[in-house]
Amino acid sequence: MDVLQLQLPPFKVLCDSTVAGPVWLVIAHRFHGSVNFFRNWTEYKNGFGDLTDEFFIGMDKLEAITGSQSHQLYIYLEDFDGNSRHAHYDNFAIGTEDAFYNLQKLGSYSGDAVIEWEHGGMEIALTGTKPVKIFELRNVSGPISNICVMLPPFEVLCDSTIAGQPGWMVIAHRFDGSVNFFRNWTTYKDGFGDLGGEFFIGLEKLHAITRIQPHELYVYLEDFDGQSRYAIFNDFAISSEKKLYELQKVGSYSGDAAGPGWLVVARRFDGSVNFFRNWTVYKDGFGDLNGEFFIGLDKLHAITASQPHELYVYLEDFDGNSRYANYDNFAISTEEKLYELQKLGSYSGDAVLMAVNVPVPEWVHGGIMSALKGQIDSRDLNLNGTESLFERQSGYPNSCPTWNGRFTIKAQYPNLPPFQVLCDATVAGPGWLVVAHRFDGSVNFFRKWTEYKNGFGDLSGEFFIGLDKLHAITASQPHQLYVYLEDFDGNSRYALYDDFAISTDDKFYELQKLGSYSGDAGDSLKYHLNRRFSTFDNSRDNKCSSDRMGAWWYRDCTDSNLFGMYLDGAIESRLNLKGITWYSWRGSKYSYKTMLMMVRPRYNA
């Protein structure tokens, strides 16, 4: 992948030299149907998908590319029998958005595919954002009229009786044990059984059905006593075979499969609400019944004091596995007794039982609502909320704890709201806050000043925390800086600076302090001390940012360039110092595979 710059900000492209010789820029790629191409105008204008998968580069970029100089167009097609053909046009260009990206030029055709376009104007028109239906059902088990992607028409079984409304397509049916469901991968992929008996429709068809438009899932269960229950999930989808038909979405649950009459007292499913709250907020309750929430200790006491109640705890991990714990006599006390967990009764279920007499952390303020035993997944600690009810003195920490995960912190700095950070305790010991991470080149670091000021990327992938936050963190108390580097041979080195700080925006985030160096990567940052941060659109360094294809505290120009281009190890002379450079280890003609920048308060050292 390369970075291209035209009359637009630089953008990453996919280049190919295998299909039709060197060097072609891929503007669209489809090969397994994982990406929906029935899109609205704005999405086609900006582009969609991912360069590592199915994608379209976008009309704005395509117009800029073909408007900059003469271009050829090559179309490669392959059918499901492995046969391929191509169409080649020697002078291709499209118009601007004002002209609706009309097909201005094609030039002469050559190739072995049938010519489908005629020279002249053609406007690309999209009908809107209404989802495509995969099929229209004609009768209970007859043929379908389909718009199935990459699948021939297939028969389905439809039902309008069990769920009380029409339009349900049966994807699996079991009722007498006549069909073996202990099958291999290929059989589950293609489907098995018969629509007149027990069957499963097949993962390939189920993926095709659920990916084109939103679908509900209805699960109907009947026991041997004739009792029935159901579960409805309002947004169901599975992924492609490439992703092992992952259960992508289920949406919200409704039904009675967990038994009727349950009152939900707390719900968490996406980390959108902060549960690290003060006493008053837990007393009154918080959140919204349509999302994540807790009903409140006052209400919970009133409910459980009115008559005997059961407690049902449902847990689901990030692999889709679920367990439950049921206690048959649950009650909590009054606020006067700090909402003590008075009763639980007998336990049943398949989650590990936790004793009632548990040591209480100080921050719980005298009471414990419930306790679950097991390893904490870092994603469970996804504290995103910044609600005004939250009191600072009992609120967010100002640095990372001693274990890995995502946390919300509040830097001791005026007018900066709490923000989420990634904490690491494995690379260099506990308490490190990751400020930048690069490992696969998926995120472009050749960015504008505003983007570096605010930060970009995602904590689960490549990212930079942002200069505003980095200043606030390092200004609040003395910090160390740890730089971790890994090359493409699996070797790693580090550089540690014991007193790191950068200045404010009005001083261009100058690299103010580094302190003493230690480590085995060599000191390639001291050269940049007291230099201002530069980007290609806000340069303080004689255009070093543009020359080095990055952003950094440049000084005529660089000994290090950790925000340079992501390149593959040893590089040619023309790319000298343009990659992820740390000169004192592997010199100027090497770009590292992995880079971590982390900070930690000095008192944690």
Side-chain angles (χ1 to χ4, degrees), residues 304-342:
T304 61
S306 64
Q307 58 182 308
H309 277 75
E310 296 177 80
L311 171 68
Y312 187 95
V313 179
Y314 171 83
L315 302 168
E316 183 178 313
D317 67 19
F318 283 87
D319 299 318
N321 306 305
S322 64
R323 295 204 175 175
Y324 76 96
N326 186 81
Y327 301 90
D328 68 0
N329 191 14
F330 170 71
I332 68 169
S333 66
T334 62
E335 184 179 17
E336 183 182 7
K337 295 183 179 180
L338 305 180
Y339 302 110
E340 177 189 351
L341 181 54
Q342 287 183 314

Side-chain angles (χ1 to χ4, degrees), residues 477-542:
Q477 58 184 310
H479 275 72
Q480 300 172 293
L481 170 69
Y482 190 97
V483 177
Y484 171 85
L485 301 168
E486 183 180 314
D487 65 18
F488 282 87
D489 300 317
N491 306 305
S492 63
R493 296 203 178 172
Y494 76 96
L496 175 65
Y497 300 88
D498 70 359
D499 191 14
F500 170 69
I502 68 169
S503 66
T504 58
D505 186 12
D506 60 356
K507 294 183 179 178
F508 303 100
Y509 303 109
E510 176 188 331
L511 182 54
Q512 286 184 313
K513 295 189 287 184
L514 280 175
S516 300
Y517 160 83
S518 61
D520 56 6
D523 184 0
S524 287
L525 197 53
K526 186 177 180 180
Y527 178 78
H528 301 269
L529 187 61
N530 299 320
R531 304 304 296 180
R532 296 173 173 180
F533 197 84
S534 289
T535 59
F536 70 86
D537 65 330
N538 194 3
S539 179
R540 306 286 155 187
D541 51 36
N542 297 320

Side-chain angles (χ1 to χ4, degrees), residues 26-261:
V26 183
I27 59 173
H29 192 193
R30 303 185 74 177
F31 55 95
H32 58 36
S34 63
V35 173
N36 175 23
F37 273 65
F38 191 62
R39 302 273 185 149
N40 62 27
W41 180 268
T42 302
E43 291 174 295
Y44 266 96
K45 168 183 166 70
N46 298 326
F48 53 86
D50 187 273
L51 295 181
T52 61
D53 204 331
E54 297 194 332
F55 73 96
F56 173 59
I57 197 171
M59 290 293 190
D60 272 354
K61 297 186 183 75
L62 184 57
E63 188 275 324
I65 292 166
T66 61
S68 64
Q69 57 183 308
S70 298
H71 278 76
Q72 305 171 70
L73 172 68
Y74 189 95
I75 298 173
Y76 171 84
L77 303 169
E78 184 178 314
D79 68 20
F80 285 91
D81 298 318
N83 306 306
S84 63
R85 294 204 177 174
H86 77 278
H88 179 259
Y89 300 90
D90 69 359
N91 190 14
F92 170 68
I94 67 169
T96 64
E97 185 178 19
D98 289 342
F100 302 100
Y101 303 112
N102 64 313
L103 183 56
Q104 288 184 320
K105 294 187 287 185
L106 278 176
S108 300
Y109 163 84
S110 61
D112 55 3
V114 178
I115 303 175
E116 294 288 347
W117 290 346
E118 293 184 0
H119 184 81
M122 182 191 77
E123 294 180 0
I124 297 175
L126 300 177
T127 58
T129 58
K130 184 178 179 181
V132 180
K133 291 184 179 179
I134 279 193
F135 52 79
E136 297 172 1
L137 301 168
R138 294 183 178 176
N139 50 45
V140 169
S141 61
I144 60 172
S145 169
N146 80 326
I147 313 176
C148 285
V149 178
M150 298 180 65
L151 287 175
F154 55 91
E155 285 191 344
V156 297
L157 178 65
C158 300
D159 184 273
S160 301
T161 58
I162 290 180
Q165 54 185 347
W168 291 99
M169 188 188 77
V170 183
I171 60 173
H173 193 193
R174 303 185 73 177
F175 56 90
D176 61 7
S178 59
V179 173
N180 175 23
F181 273 65
F182 190 56
R183 302 276 186 145
N184 62 23
W185 179 266
T186 303
T187 311
Y188 266 95
K189 172 183 173 173
D190 298 333
F192 54 87
D194 186 89
L195 296 181
E198 293 196 335
F199 73 94
F200 173 59
I201 196 171
L203 291 164
E204 196 70 8
K205 296 185 184 77
L206 186 57
H207 163 64
I209 292 163
T210 61
R211 82 176 187 82
I212 297 297
Q213 61 177 326
H215 277 75
E216 299 175 275
L217 173 68
Y218 186 97
V219 179
Y220 172 84
L221 303 168
E222 185 178 311
D223 65 19
F224 284 90
D225 298 320
Q227 307 294 325
S228 64
R229 299 264 172 98
Y230 73 97
I232 297 179
F233 301 90
N234 72 350
D235 190 12
F236 171 71
I238 69 169
S239 66
S240 64
E241 185 180 18
K242 181 180 179 182
K243 295 182 179 179
L244 305 179
Y245 301 113
E246 176 189 353
L247 181 58
Q248 287 183 313
K249 296 187 289 184
V250 293
S252 300
Y253 162 84
S254 61
D256 58 6

Side-chain angles (χ1 to χ4, degrees), residues 248-356:
Q248 287 183 313
K249 296 187 289 184
V250 293
S252 300
Y253 162 84
S254 61
D256 58 6
W262 289 99
L263 185 154
V264 182
V265 299
R267 188 179 185 213
R268 303 186 73 178
F269 56 91
D270 62 7
S272 58
V273 172
N274 174 24
F275 272 66
F276 190 54
R277 302 280 188 140
N278 64 22
W279 180 263
T280 304
V281 183
Y282 264 98
K283 169 183 162 73
D284 298 333
F286 55 87
D288 186 273
L289 296 180
N290 293 318
E292 295 196 333
F293 73 93
F294 173 59
I295 198 170
L297 291 164
D298 266 357
K299 297 185 185 78
L300 186 57
H301 162 67
I303 292 165
T304 61
S306 64
Q307 58 182 308
H309 277 75
E310 296 177 80
L311 171 68
Y312 187 95
V313 179
Y314 171 83
L315 302 168
E316 183 178 313
D317 67 19
F318 283 87
D319 299 318
N321 306 305
S322 64
R323 295 204 175 175
Y324 76 96
N326 186 81
Y327 301 90
D328 68 0
N329 191 14
F330 170 71
I332 68 169
S333 66
T334 62
E335 184 179 17
E336 183 182 7
K337 295 183 179 180
L338 305 180
Y339 302 110
E340 177 189 351
L341 181 54
Q342 287 183 314
K343 294 188 287 186
L344 278 176
S346 300
Y347 163 84
S348 61
D350 55 6
V352 179
L353 173 63
M354 183 73 174
V356 177

